[in-house]
Amino acid sequence: MTTILVTGATGTLGRQVAERLRTEGADVRGLSRRSPSYAVDLRDGRGLDAAVDGVDTIVHCASSPRGGDDRAAGFLIEAAQRAGVPHLVYISIVGVDRVPLRYYAAKRRVERMIEDSGVGATIQRTTQFHDLVLSVVSGAAKLPVLPVPAGVSVQPVDSGEVADRLAALALGAPAGRVPDLGGPEVREFSALAGAYLRATGRKRRVVPVRLAGKAYAGFRSGGHLSPEHAVGTVTFEEFLARRHRRAG
Ligand SMILES: NC(=O)c1ccc[n+]([C@@H]2O[C@H](COP(=O)([O-])OP(=O)(O)OC[C@H]3O[C@@H](n4cnc5c(N)ncnc54)[C@H](OP(=O)(O)O)[C@@H]3O)[C@@H](O)[C@H]2O)c1
């Protein structure tokens, strides 16, 4: 039986990757700080050797935009090397090399660390998940008007489709950097905010706001988009409708 360690297995993506791999018959270990079975803080690495012992593949989904991803990856790679793990799958973001955001720079460094580690690697970049857009827009909708970044488009993808792809990659051989996975449509942020308001029956004026800084300029110029890889099929509206059905 294939044994697979999924880091970040309590998160939006990791949970679904673990589910799919279990359905495929893999012996799945789920790791995160709050995991009931492999409770490890990757930023100190304690407990990692036991988690990677005898593992065929690691799917590295754990991440924190607040920082520490490269430190965490360092411990994970060292543990994988010690245990002779043959395959490490990493989920990254389209545009980590184009949009000057601190979080993206850390993810780019992690890509390089994995590529240079000598461990068999597969790196999948995707665009933003629908879940992230929903969380940004629903947070902004708590205000009397709904501010959105002016002139920014997004190409959100369904995290379930990303999980399908990662599970398939995890069950295959190391493939290096694979083609990007983008959502089906590039949409103005304001249009996605409008879709959210329609789906939830809320009334707010959507107000585009111009922001300062190089990261905003990077997003405005579409560094995070991958229209040539619009292979996801679930639109933001379909994602919202599904959520609504599940909640109701
Ligand atoms: N969200 C997006 O739009 C998007 C788009 C493209 C790529 N990605 C990438 O996909 C991955 C998963 O994203 P997500 O949205 O599913 O994230 P998420 O829901 O925030 O989940 C993050 C996971 O990482 C774990 N974690 C965080 N810090 C940790 C630490 N120090 N040690 C051990 N575990 C830790 C968390 O669990 P605990 O809190 O229990 O530790 C959680 O299980 C990330 O690498 C992200 O960069 C995300």
Side-chain angles (χ1 to χ4, degrees):
M1 192 193 269
T2 311
T3 302
I4 301 183
L5 175 71
V6 179
T7 74
T10 52
T12 302
L13 177 64
R15 199 175 45 240
Q16 299 177 81
V17 172
E19 269 169 26
R20 280 156 179 72
L21 289 168
R22 285 196 181 103
T23 304
E24 292 295 328
D27 172 23
V28 177
R29 300 178 184 174
L31 178 154
S32 84
R33 288 166 300 187
R34 290 169 297 144
S35 159
S37 42
Y38 290 92
V40 173
D41 185 340
L42 287 169
R43 290 167 309 181
D44 70 32
R46 254 175 294 157
L48 253 181
D49 283 325
V52 301
D53 183 44
V55 158
D56 299 292
T57 298
I58 299 170
V59 186
H60 184 31
C61 298
S63 178
S64 173
R66 283 190 288 278
D69 273 12
D70 28 14
R71 185 176 164 76
F75 286 124
L76 185 66
I77 289 166
E78 282 166 19
Q81 288 166 334
R82 275 195 298 275
V85 176
H87 190 189
L88 181 94
V89 180
Y90 181 55
I91 173 75
S92 188
I93 307 175
V94 169
V96 287
D97 46 355
R98 291 194 296 241
V99 178
L101 203 62
R102 195 186 302 191
Y103 177 52
Y104 282 18
K107 290 206 65 103
R108 179 67 187 119
R109 284 196 298 277
V110 172
E111 287 184 352
R112 288 217 179 93
M113 289 165 72
I114 292 172
E115 282 163 347
D116 297 344
S117 68
V119 178
T122 301
I123 296 175
Q124 173 72 67
R125 291 184 183 174
T126 79
T127 53
Q128 282 64 46
F129 303 164
H130 291 314
D131 314 75
L132 177 66
V133 175
L134 172 60
S135 126
V136 170
V137 171
S138 60
K142 295 200 172 85
L143 301 168
V145 294
L146 199 166
V148 293
V152 173
S153 292
V154 196
Q155 189 184 347
V157 66
D158 191 72
S159 55
E161 292 185 298
V162 176
D164 289 341
R165 170 74 73 89
L166 279 196
L169 291 169
L171 294 170
R177 166 98 186 275
V178 296
D180 294 346
L181 171 52
E185 304 175 321
V186 176
R187 308 270 303 273
E188 279 270 334
F189 217 111
S190 51
L192 295 170
Y196 166 79
L197 293 173
R198 278 191 301 282
T200 54
R202 288 169 178 227
K203 296 211 178 332
R204 291 283 185 285
R205 194 159 61 86
V206 175
V207 180
V209 179
R210 287 186 76 86
L211 302 167
K214 287 184 181 159
Y216 172 59
F219 284 120
R220 267 177 70 95
S221 67
H224 60 304
L225 304 176
S226 186
E228 65 285 15
H229 293 110
V231 290
T233 62
V234 179
T235 65
F236 189 58
E237 277 83 351
E238 286 164 351
F239 160 82
L240 291 173
R242 229 187 258 172
R243 274 287 169 110
H244 199 62
R245 275 201 298 277
R246 237 186 283 151

